[in-house]
Amino acid sequence: MATTGKVANHLDQAKARWMDSCHGNGKPVREIAISKFKATCLAELESVRRTRTPIRITRFGKPIADILPPTIAPQKSWLGCMEDTMKIVGDIVGPVGAFDGWDPD
């Protein structure tokens, strides 16, 4: 059974919406009207942070913005964190000169 005309166009649009609804991370995008988002903005942002599920804000049914969860930065090790912050000047093994006049005997 071949699809033609409006039916094929409708199926293509539905497939595009379905492919777009996952937003590349495997989780479906939750759509919310801009008026509801305006009223519950802080709660919606916290929901995105907590569940890591994106939100698409729509106006008259057309998308105007996507709210995505932040990317998680890898934790850096504290080892080597001071690298290239100091400069060695002179002898670091020899005495500093505080005991020049001192006689141990």
Side-chain angles (χ1 to χ4, degrees), residues 4-103:
T4 59
K6 290 183 179 181
V7 174
N9 189 24
H10 180 69
L11 290 176
D12 290 341
Q13 289 176 355
K15 183 178 178 183
R17 278 195 310 271
W18 180 79
M19 296 288 282
D20 194 34
S21 70
C22 290
H23 218 285
N25 66 358
K27 291 187 177 184
V29 174
R30 192 166 52 100
E31 289 190 359
I32 183 171
I34 194 167
S35 57
K36 183 177 179 190
F37 180 76
K38 185 177 178 183
T40 61
C41 179
L42 294 177
E44 296 296 341
L45 292 175
E46 178 60 22
S47 171
V48 169
R49 186 196 63 80
R50 190 179 65 253
T51 64
R52 304 202 52 80
T53 301
I55 294 176
R56 174 165 292 142
I57 302 170
T58 61
R59 183 170 187 222
F60 302 117
K62 295 182 181 177
I64 58 168
D66 288 336
I67 308 294
L68 303 174
T71 57
I72 298 173
Q75 294 288 331
K76 293 180 90 178
S77 173
W78 62 272
L79 297 174
C81 67
M82 297 295 289
E83 182 179 24
D84 297 330
T85 60
M86 294 184 264
K87 183 177 180 183
I88 297 174
V89 180
D91 185 13
I92 62 170
V93 179
V96 294
F99 301 111
D100 287 343
W102 183 64
D103 187 22

